[in-house]
Amino acid sequence: MIGPVIDAMSVQHDGFDVAAVDINLRGRSAFPIADELMRVGKPFIFTTGYGAENIPDRFQHVRRWEIPYDLEEFTADVAELCRSQLHPLLAV
């Protein structure tokens, strides 16, 4: 792993509540980042220009926003994911 993938992997896990992960980071797969987020139990959403068939089966449960997406709807989805982490009983 080099470049943006190493940069993303070095982020402190307690420094954020949820993540939005583009599956292609300057030509590098972000799946190792998604694997690490799953390992530490940090929720995330994929943003991508790729279709669902390009997402490995282990990530089929992850919300996916296909580019181009409506920024307001995406923001609302991220906010809902944040709320579900802060108040699991209130999650939809």
Side-chain angles (χ1 to χ4, degrees), residues 11-73:
V11 172
Q12 294 297 317
H13 298 292
D14 59 352
F16 61 96
D17 296 319
V18 301
V21 179
D22 191 323
I23 65 170
N24 182 341
L25 299 174
R26 295 185 188 161
R28 302 259 182 221
S29 169
F31 295 134
I33 295 168
D35 285 327
E36 177 66 7
L37 291 169
M38 281 182 30
R39 186 187 72 76
V40 299
K42 195 64 80 162
F44 62 96
I45 294 173
F46 282 126
T47 60
T48 183
Y50 298 103
E53 67 278 1
N54 294 298
I55 308 289
D57 288 341
R58 68 185 182 276
F59 301 122
Q60 291 304 314
H61 68 284
V62 176
R63 297 175 186 180
R64 183 179 57 85
W65 283 84
E66 200 166 313
I67 299 168
Y69 51 81
D70 181 281
L71 187 56
E72 286 183 26
E73 289 178 14

